[in-house]
Every structure is written in C-alpha cells, then in structure tokens.
Amino acid sequence: MYRALYRKWRPQRFEDVVGQWAIVAALKNQVAAGRVGHAYLFTGVRGTGKTTCAKIFAKAVNCLDPQNGDPCGQCAVCRGIDDGSILDVVEMDAASNNGVDDIRDLRDETAYTPSICRYKVYIIDEVHMLSTAAFNALLKTLEEPPAHVIFILATTEIQKVPATIRSRCQRYDFTRISPEDIAGRVSQVAGAEGLALTEGAAGLIARLADGALRDALSILDTCAGVTGQIDEDVVRRMAGVTDRSYLFRMSDALAARDAASALAELAALRQQSVDVKRLTEELIAHYRSLMLAALPGGRELLSGVSPEEEDLYLAKGPALGQREAVRAIRALGGALEHMARGSDQRIELELALFNLTAPDAQPAPAPAAAQASPAPAARPQPAAQPQPAVRPFASGPVPAPAAEAPAAQPAPQAAPAAEAQPDPDNLPPWDEPSQTPPPLAEAAPARDEPLPPPPAEEEAAPPPVEDVPAAQPAFAADPQLDKPRRVAGRDINPYPQWPEVVDRIRDTDPMLYGYLKKSKAYFDGVRVLIDGGKTFRDFIRVNKGSQRLIKKLIADVSGIAVPIGPYEPETSAGRPKASAEDSLHKLEALGLDVTIEDGPRRRHS
C-alpha cells in the first residue's frame, strides 16, 4: 500500500528533525544524562514536529542501546514501538477522547507497570480540546505520576491549556521552520523518490507551506502524482495558486486613483471563482509587504516572497509610501471586519477599493486665532453687505424701530469674499452640547418688543440686526444671541433649508442618509443643530468625513458656511423643575379636590 510522503519520511531520530535544533539538543541531553522529566508540553503551529519529537523521545527513553540520546532504531523496543506491537507507548487524540471518563480510564491505567519498556509514555495530542472536568481529573496525576509514567502533551493552541497544567510541565515551543530549511528537506526527499524538482519549485513549495514541513511534503506528493518533472508552473497549478501579479495591478490602479481599473480587476478575478474574502486577506498582506519595503532596511523584513516579487516590492514600496500603505491596510481590514458580520463580500471590497482611489484628505490644523470663538461684535453682520437671493435661516423681514432711521447707522466694513464664505472643511468640528446652557426663551425677547440698548463698553460694536431696513431679511436668532448657544428650543427656530440638504445627502452618501432621512434641524444663531437621535450622534462624532460633507452641503444650499452641532431639547438643565406641591397647586386652580401631605399634617382643599 502506498504511504504518503510525510508519513514515509517522518524522522526516526532526533538528528533527522528539521528546524528545531534547540529543542532537539535539550531532549537528547536529558536522555543521555538520565534526567528525564515526568511531564512535557510541546506547543507550536501545525507541521513543525511536535508529535514526531514526542515519538522519538518515547523511543529514546526506552531504547535498549541509545546513542548519544538518540534511539538506535534497531533494538526490539524501537522496532516494536514503530510497528505498534508494544503497547507501553500510548498515543491519544484528545479531540475525540476529551471527556472526563476517558481521562479517568487513563489515570487508572497508570497504576500498572509497563510490560516491556522501562517507561509507560502517554502522548496526548491536541490536549487543549480536553474539557474542564477532564483537565481537573488529569491534574493530580500529572503533578505526581508513578515513577514509570511520562506524559507528553502536544497542542497548537497553548492559550487554551489551563495554567495549572502548564505549570506542571516542561514547556517547549516549536517555531515555524524557515523556507530555506523546508526547501532543502523537500529537495532531499524528491531526490530520494526519483523526482526532478527544480530549485524554483522547491522554493515555491517552501513559501506555500508557511513554516509547516508536513504541508510542504503534501504539496510535493500532490505534484508527484501528475508528473516526475516538477517546476513552478506545476506547483502553482496543483496547489491552486495563481500568479500574484494581479495584486500589483490592483495596487498600481489604486495608487493612480483609477477606480475603474481596480474594480475591473476585481470583477475578472471573481469570474475566475477567486474567493473575495481570501483576496482581501491577500491584499492586506500585499500592502503589508509594501509598507515594510518602504522602511529603511526593508529587504530583511520581507519574508515568504519570491526574489522577483521582492524586487517589485523594493521598487514600488518607497514610491507608494508608508502612509498610503497603512491607509490601505486599515481600509481593507475594515472591509474584512464587515464581511465577518455578514455583509456582502463583493460590495464591501468594492467600497474599500473605491475609497482608496480618493485622495487622503487630511485638513491642515486651523490657526489658534481661528480655533477660538470670535467675539460677537467682530462677526460681520449680513445687513452691511448684499445678500443672496435665498437667505438661510430667514423667518421673514424684520421691521426697524420707528425711533431710528436705517440711514443713520454706520455701515460696517465689508468683509472680503473669502471671509464672507469660509471653507466648510475649516469650520469648527462637531460641537458637543454643554451641560447647563441658559434657556433660549430667557435669552431671546419677543420679536415685537424693542431690544434693550447695548452696554456702554460695546459702543463700537456693529449695530444689531433689527436696525437694518425692513426690506433686508435677518437671521432668525442673531438679534437675541450675543454668544454661542448650544441648545435650541423645539420649533422656535427651525432651519428651513434642511430638507434640501437631506435630499442631497441621499444622492451623495446613502449610509448617512439612513441616519438623517427623518431628522430635523434648528439654527441657534451660530450653528445648525441636527436632531437625528442618539445613534446619529454616536455615528457623526467619530466620522469626520460625514461632518465635512454635511457642512459642505449646507454651504452649497444656503450660500453661507456654518458649523454644525447636536440638537438636544431643553430639560431641567435649562429650566427649573416644578416641585410636586407646585403641581398640586395647579390642580387646585383647576377646581380639583386634592390632598397635600405636609409632614404630620394633612390639609384638604
């Protein structure tokens, strides 16, 4: 019967183990010196030699003629362990025997002495699969087993093994085998099997194995079933991998801001049945290599790539830049996270690629003077300059007081065009509502009442908006507010252009429109306050791009750029809360019979 190459060429001596020299030396020295422990824990990724070393160690401690810590392989014990005729070495699969009853049976067997060998060796593979009760049953026996028992535990997920188990074992970490060592071993096996394996094919097999020698021998076995002349094309065809040039074509298209070419490449790969999630992972690894290649001394950091790909990375990495590579990794990582939540994989990757074709907008920090809130007197009033045909926030013309003539008011200096229309991207960020703002109703007198005269220290300030001619519309809240307000009263000053802004958001950003399609907005004289609910506030607080989009659309619709903030209705923070007795008095005023308890007394109306 044909035996797979990884079984046929499994090492039988410590000196045949590849890539684990430190562990091999430690185990050989223990056998040679007679300092054998009672429990060992082998951990590492698949295919790195954990079970192989466990079997060699079991033979070495029982060998009748050990040679420098290695089993001879010729004595009756070594041959019996190899062919399974000696039952003193027990290999147990914890993935299928993970119950407490299985461990109890094993624990009961340890009381019996070995029949032929010196030690009874229990090799428990994938030990992390044991249940909690099974670990507890094993614990005491593992700590103080009989003198003739040795436990060897093997696992690929050491974090799942309880600390109480780990502390009772000698731990050995098996590292990934280097591509050079794997290529050398694969070439040795291919020569012994009469296979013509090219150097490039051996290197490609080593890179595909990702540090696991068993995987490399399995790939070689697959290729040997097709032809005895194995080159890189045969390895790619049989291993199910394609030329990785499509990764460079996609990254080149993204760097050139060519979304159409990048999406066309994705469509072509899907036509070839390429898994979109795996393609996303490959793109992340691709941009990681570009990021490493952009670093000084990046050649030493690149691993698992062919010499041709290494040259491409070293050429394209510095040209792309570390910042752009990191940006791509984060965007693709976000798409991968959304895929894991059940989103459509193709759409998520297409959105990520499309976003990467847009320039990385990093607005310059505003000067300190621009970040500070301007004094109300320094703000140019709309009465002193021509107004657009459609005025935002207008609630109709405001008649001037009869005692003052509009012509007698000094006209403020006209602001330059750049100041009259500030850039929405440079406006203050999303403003959080203050904790105890003054109520708007107290700060804003009725519109038909005359305003009080301004304070003496503000004589140089521009005249209030109510002093403009009746033909000039005014901002709804400007006359009453002399400093920023963060809370607006419901239905007092709605922002009339908000439905048009929401319509434009629907055509620009469907996701943002989902938050705002039933929203309302108000204007407090300084900023537009958006009533979109708590979910919208949590979303917009961390999405600076959506903030910039809303401010830009407000400027496009109204002609004036203003900051934005969250709307919160007035609560007890802005108005004192009525007491229970006040409420009862109001009921009394309505003619209702109520009873008020006042300490020990009861007073009836």
Side-chain angles (χ1 to χ4, degrees):
M1 180 180 178
Y2 179 75
R3 296 178 67 192
L5 291 181
Y6 77 87
R7 295 183 58 200
K8 182 178 180 180
W9 291 94
R10 182 190 291 271
Q12 301 299 319
R13 298 166 57 89
F14 281 126
E15 63 182 15
D16 297 331
V17 177
V18 177
Q20 310 295 345
W21 316 120
I23 296 175
V24 165
L27 296 178
K28 287 177 64 176
N29 291 337
Q30 288 191 18
V31 175
R35 300 172 59 89
V36 179
H38 68 278
Y40 295 83
L41 179 59
F42 294 168
T43 176
V45 297
R46 69 188 189 284
T48 53
K50 299 184 297 297
T51 306
T52 296
C53 286
K55 290 182 176 181
I56 297 174
F57 188 72
K59 287 193 299 182
V61 297
N62 291 308
C63 180
L64 301 177
D65 185 23
Q67 302 173 0
N68 296 326
D70 256 329
C72 67
Q74 303 298 326
C75 65
V77 173
C78 290
R79 292 198 305 269
I81 293 176
D82 287 337
D83 59 26
S85 60
I86 294 180
L87 303 181
D88 292 333
V89 176
V90 180
E91 187 173 357
M92 173 182 170
D93 178 21
S96 55
N97 301 279
N98 56 5
V100 63
D101 293 334
D102 299 311
I103 299 301
R104 284 173 180 168
D105 294 340
L106 182 150
R107 184 184 60 187
D108 294 340
E109 291 177 4
T110 61
Y112 300 99
T113 59
S115 57
I116 298 175
C117 299
R118 183 186 310 167
Y119 293 99
K120 206 166 192 176
V121 182
Y122 290 93
I123 302 174
I124 306 179
D125 204 5
E126 300 300 332
V127 71
H128 65 272
M129 299 293 289
L130 291 179
S131 64
T132 303
F135 272 125
N136 292 334
L138 178 64
L139 190 59
K140 191 62 178 178
T141 303
L142 190 67
E143 182 179 16
E144 296 179 357
H148 57 268
V149 174
I150 297 175
F151 286 99
I152 303 178
L153 314 180
T155 178
T156 56
E157 300 185 39
I158 186 63
Q159 73 278 3
K160 294 184 179 180
V161 179
T164 52
I165 297 292
R166 297 198 303 265
S167 64
R168 288 164 170 80
C169 303
Q170 294 185 31
R171 174 174 169 176
Y172 293 94
D173 293 312
F174 287 71
T175 59
R176 294 181 185 270
I177 306 174
S178 66
E180 294 77 14
D181 291 337
I182 293 178
R185 179 63 173 174
V186 167
S187 299
Q188 177 187 352
V189 172
E193 291 289 325
L195 302 174
L197 180 68
T198 65
E199 183 179 352
L204 179 58
I205 290 175
R207 292 193 300 274
L208 293 174
D210 193 23
L213 184 55
R214 182 173 61 237
D215 292 1
L217 293 176
S218 297
I219 295 173
L220 177 64
D221 209 354
T222 303
C223 297
V226 178
T227 177
Q229 305 291 328
I230 303 176
D231 56 10
E232 294 183 63
D233 292 335
V234 174
V235 174
R236 288 194 181 97
R237 185 168 68 251
M238 299 311 299
V241 297
T242 58
D243 184 14
R244 289 162 52 90
S245 60
Y246 59 87
L247 297 176
F248 289 96
R249 290 196 296 270
M250 294 185 75
S251 61
D252 290 343
L254 296 177
R257 313 299 183 194
D258 188 355
S261 298
L263 297 180
E265 187 69 31
L266 172 60
L269 292 172
R270 287 192 73 257
Q271 195 67 25
Q272 300 173 15
S273 299
V274 174
D275 183 69
V276 175
K277 187 175 181 180
R278 179 169 181 178
L279 175 61
T280 307
E281 295 172 347
E282 290 181 346
L283 282 171
I284 292 175
H286 173 67
Y287 274 102
R288 172 185 174 273
S289 297
L290 289 172
M291 177 188 67
L292 296 178
L295 295 172
R299 181 184 295 272
E300 288 74 15
L301 300 174
L302 293 175
S303 61
V305 297
S306 64
E308 296 80 7
E309 291 177 347
E310 183 179 292
D311 294 338
L312 285 174
Y313 281 125
L314 293 175
K316 295 179 178 294
L320 180 67
Q322 301 173 28
R323 178 174 176 178
E324 192 67 20
V326 171
R327 175 178 172 237
I329 291 173
R330 288 177 174 169
L332 294 169
L336 198 61
E337 182 180 354
H338 290 152
M339 293 178 192
R341 297 176 181 173
S343 301
D344 187 276
Q345 297 182 357
R346 179 182 182 180
I347 293 178
E348 290 296 337
L349 182 54
E350 286 178 340
L351 286 175
L353 296 179
F354 184 79
N355 289 336
L356 288 175
T357 58
D360 185 12
Q362 295 289 340
Q371 293 178 358
S373 298
R379 290 200 307 269
Q381 299 294 333
Q385 52 186 352
Q387 305 298 329
V390 179
R391 288 299 307 276
F393 334 128
S395 59
V398 179
E404 299 180 7
Q409 298 297 329
Q413 295 293 331
E419 297 181 3
Q421 302 292 336
D423 185 1
D425 290 342
N426 290 328
L427 290 173
W430 175 263
D431 292 320
E432 296 296 336
S434 61
Q435 298 299 323
T436 56
L440 185 65
E442 298 177 5
R447 182 167 296 278
D448 54 357
E449 297 178 2
L451 291 177
E457 62 270 18
E458 297 184 0
E459 292 180 356
V465 177
E466 280 80 357
D467 296 338
V468 301
Q472 296 289 342
F475 287 18
D478 277 354
Q480 293 84 11
L481 299 179
D482 58 355
K483 60 180 178 180
R485 292 288 193 267
R486 296 181 182 270
V487 178
R490 184 179 296 276
D491 298 329
I492 292 179
N493 46 359
Y495 174 47
Q497 281 80 19
W498 184 244
E500 184 178 352
V501 173
V502 174
D503 288 341
R504 296 200 181 191
I505 292 175
R506 177 182 56 190
D507 300 334
T508 307
D509 191 338
M511 179 181 295
L512 182 59
Y513 174 73
Y515 288 102
L516 296 178
K517 59 183 178 181
K518 295 183 179 180
S519 65
K520 296 180 181 180
Y522 303 89
F523 181 66
D524 69 351
V526 177
R527 60 187 61 76
V528 173
L529 305 177
I530 302 173
D531 182 8
K534 182 179 184 303
T535 303
F536 167 73
R537 291 200 303 270
D538 294 340
F539 167 80
I540 199 65
R541 186 179 294 113
V542 297
N543 287 272
K544 304 300 182 183
S546 298
Q547 296 182 25
R548 290 193 293 270
L549 174 62
I550 294 175
K551 289 187 284 188
K552 179 179 182 301
L553 294 179
I554 289 176
D556 293 343
V557 170
S558 64
I560 294 180
V562 294
I564 60 176
Y567 169 85
E568 289 201 2
E570 287 183 293
T571 61
S572 58
R575 180 183 296 115
K577 183 178 180 180
S579 65
E581 188 166 350
D582 292 339
S583 301
L584 293 177
H585 283 306
K586 291 181 180 179
L587 293 177
E588 283 183 329
L590 296 176
L592 298 178
D593 185 15
V594 296
T595 300
I596 302 176
E597 291 190 320
D598 186 10
R601 302 188 306 276
R602 299 175 60 89
R603 178 162 51 87
H604 295 273
S605 301

